[in-house]
Amino acid sequence: MSPVAGTTRYLCPLECGWHHDRVPFPDAWIPSHASTPIAPEAIQRMAGELVRQNAEQTEAALREHLATHTTEQFVMTIQVLRTEIARLRGAGPVRPDGEQT
């Protein structure tokens, strides 16, 4: 299923298929019923708070998901990525310590 337009999708770096979607901020985060104009500083403060909350929620979701993976899965993924980098650079295979063979 495709996310809503403008959604930011965070993928698991271990490529297990998990993802976390963050939908765009609704226009309604600024009160339209205010009887007086809202100062730019207030809008900036509200927007900053929304961005901070969004970042905290995204990080919490990612940390919670990553806790479901084993250390072995992380090590294997790192090795696969190192091998791919070496291949793209035209070098030979990479040892587990990251050095070229």
Side-chain angles (χ1 to χ4, degrees):
M1 183 169 103
S2 296
V4 175
T7 297
T8 301
R9 176 165 280 182
Y10 298 90
L11 303 173
C12 175
L14 277 65
E15 299 181 350
C16 69
W18 176 89
H19 63 272
H20 177 70
D21 289 342
R22 296 301 300 185
V23 296
F25 294 120
D27 292 335
W29 68 271
I30 299 177
S32 59
H33 60 280
S35 58
T36 59
I38 299 173
E41 296 81 18
I43 292 173
Q44 193 171 22
R45 207 171 29 255
M46 287 187 289
E49 180 61 21
L50 277 173
V51 168
R52 186 190 62 73
Q53 288 175 4
N54 185 12
E56 286 178 355
Q57 292 168 358
T58 299
E59 183 175 352
L62 184 58
R63 284 181 182 274
E64 182 180 328
H65 171 71
L66 290 177
T68 69
H69 288 289
T70 65
T71 301
E72 181 182 8
Q73 289 172 314
F74 282 99
V75 171
M76 290 173 56
T77 299
I78 291 167
Q79 183 59 32
V80 166
L81 292 172
R82 284 180 174 166
T83 301
E84 182 65 11
I85 289 168
R87 185 188 68 75
L88 291 170
R89 288 182 175 162
V94 178
R95 295 190 321 237
D97 63 2
E99 295 298 317
Q100 298 296 138
T101 57

